[in-house]
Amino acid sequence: MSFEFGIYSLGERITNKHGNILTAQQRIENIIQIGKWADEAGLDVFGIGEHHRSDFVTSSYAMILAALARETTNIKLTSTLSVVSTSDPVRLYEDFSTLDLLSNGRTEIILGRGAFLESFHLFGVSLDDYDAVFEEKLDLFMKLQNDKVTSWVGEFRPPLKNAQISPRALQPKIPMWIGVGGSPESAIRGGHLGLNMALGLLGGMPESVSYLTNLYWQSAREAGHDLSKLKVSVSGHGYIAENSKQAIEEFVPHYNQYNQHFMKDRGIPYNPVLPSQLTPETTANRILAIGSAEDLAEKILYQHELFGHSRFMGQFDMGNQPMVQVEKAIDLLANKVAPIVRNELSK
């Protein structure tokens, strides 16, 4: 299958180095503009993550994707990710089936438990049921994909009896991915269920996490799934410029700003990194997607040997990265990185 490239936004809204902050409206407009640039550049997929905090604007992420459905032509639109544990699977299916109709069949969905826990308290889901509620709601969403009329009984949601679920998606099934951070159980679950796996990686060395993809492929094989029909995606923080030095210098202040904000929120001290400390991250055997187009292509090819993945997605707008630089990074991903990778894999 062809290797795919995309970008995503989590929609964080934090102060810049001057102490200023975008309005929620402007941040949403920027996300829509980034999605339009991605479509115009010829990228394959654009995603928005779900968050329910005052320092994010993506609590109603499906509505932003719906706006993009009418502003774009070819690019696939996905969540990155949908916190199914604290959502009603019926409402979630209805939202994304409608998005599929609005986008003429360009919708995907990544389901997971999320890196933040605010939605559990907000929607009255107990953390004591963290894993059980995820399994149950994931199971219900999968059933809704198959059944126009659904009967179902679970523990954490009222039962359904001959419920007519509509509208139906334009696609026979909305392509589903399971979001995996560092949990072996999640990787095994995704493979066993025959779902695509979206692997979120933020740093370190790829060899240290290759066991997750090994578990995924092994679980899928043992469950009897056709591996040629399954996909693994790798996503994470990143930025591209004309050369490695420029990429690091333009990325570091926003990387520090982003990390400092969220580390402080969790009560964890954060020491800002210097450009020299990120220089090693441009090499192929490091996960952080930073460097020149050639650097990033080399990273993706190196990881492809380890993971067998067929999609890369980068978060290029983190930490108030200027829009002009985000646009340039999108252009480099689409017109330099993608051709290099696809040409090498075609051999």
Side-chain angles (χ1 to χ4, degrees):
M1 60 183 69
S2 175
F3 200 98
E4 296 181 314
F5 291 86
I7 58 171
Y8 68 98
S9 177
L10 297 182
E12 82 279 358
R13 187 171 69 98
I14 61 179
T15 55
N16 62 21
K17 61 183 179 181
H18 303 295
N20 300 321
I21 188 169
L22 293 175
T23 66
Q25 182 183 26
Q26 184 58 58
R27 184 68 173 104
I28 290 173
E29 289 294 337
N30 284 355
I31 293 171
I32 292 173
Q33 182 60 65
I34 291 169
K36 290 168 66 176
W37 284 335
D39 184 50
E40 291 163 2
L43 292 180
D44 301 288
V45 58
F46 179 75
I48 301 176
E50 175 186 3
H51 287 285
H52 299 269
R53 296 165 47 113
S54 61
D55 47 6
F56 289 89
V57 297
T58 50
S59 58
S60 190
Y61 62 104
M63 289 192 69
I64 305 175
L65 289 170
L68 267 168
R70 311 306 289 180
E71 296 280 348
T72 56
T73 304
N74 298 309
I75 200 165
K76 298 173 186 176
L77 302 170
T78 186
S79 59
T80 52
L81 50 81
S82 299
V83 186
V84 69
S85 303
T86 55
S87 302
D88 184 336
V90 174
R91 176 81 267 179
L92 191 61
Y93 177 82
E94 291 172 342
D95 284 346
F96 274 77
S97 63
T98 302
L99 178 63
D100 201 50
L101 297 174
L102 287 169
S103 65
N104 195 31
R106 291 185 282 126
T107 299
E108 296 189 358
I109 189 168
I110 302 175
L111 301 172
R113 293 177 286 196
F116 293 83
L117 300 177
E118 72 278 352
S119 63
F120 283 81
H121 306 294
L122 185 63
F123 296 112
V125 178
S126 173
L127 288 170
D128 294 337
D129 304 317
Y130 187 74
D131 197 61
V133 73
F134 174 71
E135 281 199 3
E136 178 177 295
K137 291 190 175 183
L138 177 63
D139 172 73
L140 176 54
F141 189 91
M142 293 178 68
K143 185 173 179 60
L144 296 171
Q145 288 256 63
N146 295 320
D147 301 341
K148 295 180 181 179
V149 179
T150 303
S151 295
W152 174 91
V153 177
E155 180 181 356
F156 302 104
R157 189 204 183 283
L160 298 173
K161 184 175 181 180
N162 297 325
Q164 299 182 35
I165 309 301
S166 65
R168 305 303 297 178
L170 184 64
Q171 300 175 85
K173 290 184 182 179
I174 299 169
M176 286 178 59
W177 301 67
I178 189 166
V180 176
S183 168
E185 293 78 14
S186 293
I188 292 170
R189 180 187 289 120
H192 178 75
L193 294 174
L195 300 176
N196 301 317
M197 181 172 74
L199 186 59
L201 302 177
L202 302 183
M205 303 182 74
E207 291 85 354
S208 67
V209 293
S210 60
Y211 72 97
L212 291 170
T213 51
N214 291 339
L215 287 171
Y216 170 78
W217 292 118
Q218 178 184 342
S219 177
R221 185 181 299 109
E222 290 174 353
H225 297 295
D226 183 350
L227 302 191
S228 69
K229 295 182 179 179
L230 298 180
K231 300 178 182 180
V232 170
S233 168
V234 171
S235 62
H237 302 159
Y239 182 69
I240 320 170
E242 292 291 348
N243 58 68
S244 304
K245 184 174 184 292
Q246 180 185 350
I248 292 172
E249 290 177 349
E250 293 178 352
F251 179 69
V252 163
H254 306 287
Y255 182 71
N256 282 332
Q257 189 178 353
Y258 183 94
N259 287 327
Q260 198 156 22
H261 176 88
F262 291 108
M263 291 295 190
K264 182 180 179 180
D265 179 72
R266 297 180 179 185
I268 302 172
Y270 177 74
N271 296 317
V273 300
L274 300 172
S276 59
Q277 292 174 282
L278 279 188
T279 299
E281 299 296 327
T282 62
T283 58
N285 65 337
R286 298 297 181 96
I287 286 170
L288 186 63
I290 177 72
S292 67
E294 292 76 13
D295 292 332
L296 186 55
E298 191 176 0
K299 283 175 182 286
I300 291 171
L301 291 167
Y302 184 85
Q303 291 176 18
H304 178 75
E305 292 294 319
L306 293 171
F307 304 147
H309 68 309
S310 57
R311 176 182 287 182
F312 166 81
M313 293 186 70
Q315 182 187 355
F316 290 168
D317 69 338
M318 62 185 296
N320 291 304
Q321 185 72 258
M323 288 287 282
V324 65
Q325 292 176 190
V326 174
E327 183 181 18
K328 180 61 177 176
I330 291 171
D331 175 69
L332 289 170
L333 181 64
N335 296 307
K336 286 198 172 182
V337 178
I340 294 172
V341 171
R342 288 170 177 157
N343 182 58
E344 287 299 315
L345 292 179
S346 70
K347 298 176 182 179

